[in-house]
Amino acid sequence: MLPTLPRHAPDRPRPSLMRSSFLLERDFPASAATVFAAWSSPACKARWFSIESQHRRLDFRVGGREFLYGRSSCGRRFTYEAVYREIVPDTRIVFSYDIHIEGRHGSSSLASLEISPHGEACAIRYSEQGIFLDGLDSPRGRFNGATLRLARLDGLFREKIT
Amino acid sequence: MTRSVTHATFTLRRTYPVPARRVFAAFADPKRKAAWFNGPDEWGPDEHSFDFRVGGRETSRGGPPGGVVHTFNAIYHDIVENERIIYSYDMHLDDTRISVSVATLELRPKDGGTELVLTEQGAFLDGFDDAGGREQGTRDLLDTLGDFLAREAADA
């Protein structure tokens, strides 16, 4: 872990923040119930979401928390802590989450997932509105990470139908 | 019911002729916060719980007598004394959740006073509220805060 610097140490940058938001739309070859389960069931979620995490806990209900701990691909310790704010089964999930990197607060985000069935498949809209602090975490990295995670999830659905 | 999520962002700026620590205290100190963070006078006193620390929660519940109950549930994500506060909150009308938002409050010295920049990034649910309505409500609240800060400065 990096040593904790006093907030106004001469070599520490001033507090800064950056905002960013994005929307990803995908069609998944799976039912709304299957897509919802991929986010709500701890066993399903562990197969595609932050698979590098060494420890995970998911209490999927409004007010419930999710916690992940691990090392990123570049070796930095991170924690992910979410609170579920809104759940409509098979339809919608809204949650807020914080990322800490090497013990420092890197970002706070609000995320929403909307699931719309069409025939045997469904369309999803995944959106994030984020605040990135003190240069620790980046909007580009977040967008890339979300894109990769959805691709991995899509891959799991396709494995099941082939 | 048709389910929908509408995302929107707005930013409000105010300059208050008081030091940043006064503005910060109005958000951080339970007594001060309760003095201005309220519904209209005719709603009467609301139920308020307040735990101002990272990970702490705040709830406020009130409404017109016999009318719809408005509930605000917040979580504090980041606090830098006299500089910034990040919180997320959900709003309910009776038992219906109408929005979830994340907001940042930044304080900067300006013209011998303090500029407050409040940005809210919100997800508005099922068309019960929208960014325009929320922005107007927040504008009114910042005016109420301004009146409170002016009274406090006059009493000092």
Side-chain angles (χ1 to χ4, degrees):
Chain A
M1 182 173 169
L2 294 174
T4 305
L5 292 172
R7 178 151 290 275
H8 294 298
D11 52 350
R12 180 170 189 163
R14 296 279 302 165
S16 70
L17 69 83
M18 214 185 329
R19 282 179 205 86
S20 174
S21 60
F22 62 81
L23 169 68
L24 299 174
E25 296 182 280
R26 298 287 185 272
D27 285 305
F28 286 143
S31 67
T34 302
V35 174
F36 185 78
W39 295 75
S40 57
S41 142
C44 296
K45 196 162 184 189
R47 298 190 59 208
W48 65 275
F49 185 81
S50 192
I51 51 176
E52 66 276 24
S53 292
Q54 294 149 0
H55 174 79
R56 55 174 72 230
R57 203 166 59 222
L58 171 59
D59 177 15
F60 188 77
R61 55 186 164 147
V62 172
R65 291 174 181 267
E66 181 173 18
F67 179 78
L68 298 166
Y69 163 85
R71 277 186 194 279
S72 66
S73 50
C74 54
R76 295 195 300 175
R77 262 180 5 127
F78 72 85
T79 61
Y80 166 99
E81 290 176 88
V83 180
Y84 287 92
R85 310 301 282 264
E86 154 87 352
I87 296 172
V88 181
D90 300 347
T91 304
R92 173 162 88 200
I93 304 169
V94 182
F95 55 101
S96 56
Y97 72 91
D98 291 293
I99 299 285
H100 283 77
I101 295 165
E102 296 291 346
R104 292 169 62 190
H105 188 193
S107 63
S108 293
S109 303
L110 178 67
S112 67
L113 174 73
E114 297 163 80
I115 308 170
S116 317
H118 57 83
E120 312 255 294
C122 61
I124 67 139
R125 286 158 57 85
Y126 177 73
S127 162
E128 285 203 13
Q129 295 161 290
I131 301 150
F132 296 83
L133 301 172
D134 307 335
L136 291 167
D137 196 356
S138 85
R140 179 185 294 268
R142 180 63 50 83
F143 175 82
N144 289 344
T147 303
L148 277 172
R149 280 189 284 279
L150 293 186
R152 194 179 290 137
L153 180 57
D154 183 60
L156 286 180
F157 294 139
R158 285 177 199 284
E159 264 174 38
K160 284 193 182 149
I161 58 172
T162 50
Chain B
M1 183 199 294
T2 306
R3 298 287 188 176
S4 67
V5 182
T6 304
H7 300 92
T9 298
F10 64 83
T11 298
L12 298 173
R13 290 166 193 277
R14 288 282 191 284
T15 303
Y16 300 118
V18 298
R21 63 186 163 78
R22 285 281 173 207
V23 184
F24 185 82
F27 284 89
D29 175 62
K31 278 204 182 108
R32 290 185 168 94
K33 179 123 193 210
W36 67 272
F37 188 73
N38 272 312
D41 289 343
E42 56 274 23
W43 287 14
D46 60 358
E47 289 172 49
H48 195 209
S49 74
F50 189 41
D51 181 15
F52 186 73
R53 58 184 163 146
V54 172
R57 299 188 179 218
E58 178 175 13
T59 63
S60 172
R61 194 189 311 267
V68 175
V69 178
H70 296 59
T71 306
F72 162 93
N73 287 317
I75 300 176
Y76 287 95
H77 294 265
D78 192 82
I79 298 171
V80 180
E81 194 176 6
N82 301 336
E83 290 185 31
R84 99 183 159 205
I85 302 171
I86 301 177
Y87 56 98
S88 60
Y89 72 94
D90 40 74
M91 283 293 301
H92 303 242
L93 297 179
D94 288 333
D95 294 330
T96 304
R97 192 173 297 102
I98 63 166
S99 67
V100 188
S101 309
V102 59
T104 56
L105 192 77
E106 295 166 87
L107 303 178
R108 301 167 186 150
K110 188 180 176 188
D111 302 336
T114 303
E115 183 183 41
L116 175 154
V117 183
L118 188 154
T119 302
E120 179 165 332
Q121 297 160 277
F124 297 92
L125 306 177
D126 307 329
F128 286 99
D129 199 355
D130 60 25
R134 183 62 52 84
E135 181 172 342
Q136 188 53 51
T138 309
R139 228 178 254 287
D140 295 345
L141 210 48
L142 292 183
D143 289 343
T144 309
L145 170 61
D147 295 342
F148 166 77
L149 291 170
R151 278 201 311 277
E152 197 183 45
D155 292 346

